[in-house]
Amino acid sequence: MDTGVIIRNFGFMMGGLGLTLQLAAITIVGGLILGILLALARLSSRFWLYWPATAYIHFFRGLPLILVIFWLYFLFPVITGKPVNAYVAAIVSFVVFEAAYFAEIVRAGIQSIPRGQTMAARASGLSARDTAMYVILPQALRNMVPALVTQAVVIFQDTSLGYVIGLREFLRRVNLVDAREARSVELYLFAGLVYFAICSAGSLASQRLEKGRQRMHPA
Amino acid sequence: MIDIAEVSLWYDRAHKALDRVSETIRRGQTVVICGPSGSGKSSLLRCINGLEAFQEGTIRVDGVSVRDPRTDIHRLRAEIGMVFQHFELYPHMTVMQNITLAPMRVRKKARAEAEQKAMALLERVGIPEKAARYPEELSGGQKQRVAIARALAMEPKIMLFDEPTSALDPEMIKEVLDVMTGLAQEGMTMVVVTHEMGFARTVADRIVFMSEGRVVETGTGRDFFERPQHERTRQFLDRILL
Ligand SMILES: Nc1ncnc2c1ncn2[C@@H]1O[C@H](COP(=O)(O)OP(=O)(O)O)[C@@H](O)[C@H]1O
Ligand SMILES: [Mg+2]
């Protein structure tokens, strides 16, 4: 075991972690917003909202993420004739893909709110939009926090796939160091530890939140 | 004021929840609807403010047809307050926020004005000190009084009550019925689904008995209790008045 290789390249590798976290953050925010819109469309009684949203969700949940990235990065330029920037391709693929998963979490969260709440809001004259904004979503999002944190952890791991189109995120940098120094065991153990530490922190936070929620709303 | 004509409602093809129901409720009247569970009482209330899309018949509120696509249904609902068996207060909002939400979003009132009105209503239902509390900190009777204040904040012409005391402990029923009685005496037009026969007898101008989606019998308080016309009404009264 040569831990020196890790110490010597620590700054370089951790620099990639910045990109990894950035990818994850943009994906989480973008994916959640798109996911909320998809969930609302899916729960709509208007078929022209319901059907496209449902098809979208089933479509992307049925594909491996890596395929979506390949399509966007390699296939899209063939159709349009313009090359796609790897960073943009990664972000778009992640957001579009993860939104399908967020949509299902949000849908479950919305459906966990009793129908009477919608009824009371609509009875008072509130529009469908205001009912969602002020009555349903605030309660639903609060219930969903643990599931959302879990999904955020998954996304953090998924961003390592940016590697396949040459993004120099954390895992790619570890890989580059390994190519130079040929210390696979130490380097990939280290990479594993970093992912594990960050994901464990996320899971722990999720459990804390779940307990806190149960204290606030027993039953 | 409320004109219900030959209304039928199906939730699915096999099941008819309302079967050609007709009723007229005049301005200032209090009408009590009673009947066994599943007879369509809640469904009928929800038809009146257009929460349920009934397939046949018409309902007019102040001459405005509820199911007419040209009707501004949000505006119509703003004129009709509704109170539910399980309160349906918004748990993530304070009592004050519960009451001011619709006046601010639907009536576009300024916050200060909406809050002033809300405080006056909380005074009226006897719990001004609870304005900053959350619903889960209130007793059942207090929750229902807040729900009534929330409905009144829209200054409705009509109030619909769906079993407002059924989920309450017996010692809290009176405080809610008192508020309702006060409203009726002030001339509010009210449709009340309830099995509180004391309230029906003393406050209702008319009592409607429903069974299996139909109006079986309707009469003034006295007639209804002393001379029920139908066997089913008699059976129902025997059970409920024990
Ligand atoms: N949202 C709904 N979907 C399907 N069936 C319903 C729904 N609401 C009520 N029903 C059915 O319609 C009938 C009348 O119900 P309801 O109006 O709630 O009666 P009540 O208030 O008198 O107990 C019942 O058979 C009930 O099961
Ligand atoms: Mg009912």
Side-chain angles (χ1 to χ4, degrees):
Chain A
M1 279 292 228
D2 171 18
T3 48
V5 66
I6 292 162
I7 294 161
R8 277 196 307 283
N9 296 287
F10 190 76
F12 174 73
M13 291 188 294
M14 285 319 226
L17 200 57
L19 177 60
T20 293
L21 289 171
Q22 191 189 350
L23 285 173
I26 295 174
T27 304
I28 288 162
V29 173
L32 182 57
I33 293 170
L34 184 56
I36 289 174
L37 295 176
L38 283 167
L40 290 174
R42 180 151 193 204
L43 290 170
S44 167
S45 53
R46 293 180 197 151
F47 81 101
W48 53 270
L49 283 172
Y50 170 81
W51 278 110
T54 306
Y56 179 105
I57 292 164
H58 281 304
F59 181 73
F60 282 104
R61 282 168 62 97
L63 293 177
L65 173 55
I66 196 161
L67 194 61
V68 179
I69 298 172
F70 277 152
W71 276 354
L72 208 74
Y73 190 62
F74 296 116
L75 222 54
F76 204 63
V78 173
I79 300 165
T80 61
K82 277 185 233 146
V84 181
N85 172 292
Y87 182 74
V88 173
I91 293 276
V92 172
S93 315
F94 291 159
V95 168
V96 158
F97 179 84
E98 302 293 350
Y101 286 84
F102 276 126
E104 288 296 87
I105 294 174
V106 174
R107 182 173 69 112
I110 291 173
Q111 286 179 324
S112 74
I113 307 302
R115 267 189 43 151
Q117 290 282 300
T118 306
M119 196 110 65
R122 301 308 300 270
S124 72
L126 287 176
S127 64
R129 188 180 152 278
D130 281 354
T131 300
M133 279 275 289
Y134 295 98
V135 177
I136 303 304
L137 282 178
Q139 296 184 59
L141 286 168
R142 188 191 292 186
N143 289 352
M144 281 162 2
V145 165
L148 291 176
V149 173
T150 304
Q151 186 62 23
V153 168
V154 171
I155 287 173
F156 172 74
Q157 296 167 348
D158 281 354
T159 55
S160 59
L161 284 175
Y163 164 37
V164 300
I165 53 175
L167 277 189
R168 294 195 162 202
E169 43 71 59
F170 177 66
L171 193 61
R172 175 65 181 152
R173 292 203 183 192
V174 173
N175 177 248
L176 286 171
V177 172
D178 184 41
R180 203 166 57 229
E181 310 242 5
R183 284 278 174 200
S184 299
V185 175
E186 291 86 343
L187 286 166
Y188 288 117
L189 268 177
F190 168 69
L193 269 176
V194 170
Y195 276 110
F196 184 74
I198 293 176
C199 293
S200 301
S203 302
L204 211 68
S206 157
Q207 279 166 26
R208 281 270 174 90
L209 289 164
E210 175 64 25
K211 277 202 195 112
R213 197 176 67 81
Q214 280 170 358
R215 249 202 318 280
M216 269 176 60
H217 300 280
Chain B
M1 177 142 227
I2 307 175
D3 209 354
I4 303 167
E6 299 279 309
V7 165
S8 295
L9 168 74
W10 288 260
Y11 283 110
D12 53 63
R13 226 162 270 179
H15 192 111
K16 201 168 185 180
L18 292 176
D19 187 3
R20 288 184 292 134
V21 171
S22 296
E23 259 316 307
T24 300
I25 297 145
R26 283 199 288 278
R27 190 180 304 274
Q29 277 192 332
T30 296
V31 171
V32 160
I33 301 176
C34 61
S37 164
S39 56
K41 308 179 297 294
S42 301
S43 300
L44 181 60
L45 284 194
R46 292 200 298 266
C47 286
I48 293 175
N49 63 4
L51 285 176
E52 219 62 80
F54 51 95
Q55 289 86 350
E56 284 177 8
T58 53
I59 296 182
R60 287 175 183 283
V61 177
D62 253 354
V64 178
S65 171
V66 172
R67 287 285 284 145
D68 188 332
R70 284 163 301 182
T71 299
D72 180 350
I73 191 73
H74 301 302
R75 206 159 117 200
L76 184 70
R77 283 178 189 152
E79 308 290 332
I80 306 175
M82 192 164 190
V83 174
F84 303 85
Q85 179 175 2
H86 297 291
F87 326 122
E88 305 303 346
L89 296 177
Y90 311 132
H92 59 301
M93 295 183 188
T94 62
V95 164
M96 178 57 82
Q97 290 167 330
N98 264 277
I99 299 176
T100 55
L101 177 66
M104 287 170 64
R105 297 301 310 171
V106 181
R107 294 254 194 249
K108 310 290 180 202
K109 277 198 188 175
R111 178 182 301 278
E113 190 192 349
E115 289 187 346
Q116 204 180 347
K117 170 91 186 165
M119 274 319 291
L121 286 166
L122 284 173
E123 298 271 1
R124 164 171 192 169
V125 300
I127 39 176
E129 74 280 5
K130 302 291 184 192
R133 295 302 181 84
Y134 284 87
E136 65 185 351
E137 301 173 84
L138 307 182
S139 72
Q142 291 170 336
K143 282 182 198 166
Q144 198 59 299
R145 284 185 282 159
V146 170
I148 294 173
R150 177 174 71 177
L152 291 175
M154 294 296 281
E155 299 173 351
K157 293 188 215 147
I158 296 166
M159 287 284 285
L160 309 175
F161 293 85
D162 193 356
E163 305 205 33
T165 58
S166 300
L168 297 180
D169 294 334
E171 71 272 18
M172 294 173 183
I173 291 176
K174 186 173 177 301
E175 65 193 50
V176 171
L177 289 181
D178 284 348
V179 173
M180 292 168 58
T181 305
L183 272 176
Q185 281 164 354
E186 281 170 30
M188 177 64 81
T189 309
M190 314 213 300
V191 184
V192 184
V193 174
T194 186
H195 291 157
E196 289 296 328
M197 288 301 132
F199 176 85
R201 204 188 285 262
T202 53
V203 180
D205 297 288
R206 212 142 37 78
I207 301 175
V208 174
F209 175 69
M210 289 182 68
S211 175
E212 294 172 4
R214 273 185 224 124
V215 172
V216 174
E217 174 159 3
T218 148
T220 63
R222 170 98 51 78
D223 286 343
F224 185 79
F225 288 105
E226 284 164 21
R227 286 181 290 280
Q229 302 293 309
H230 291 262
E231 183 54 32
R232 250 188 299 188
T233 317
R234 246 166 273 152
Q235 285 168 1
F236 178 76
L237 286 176
D238 283 347
R239 240 180 314 125
I240 217 141
L241 293 176
L242 270 182

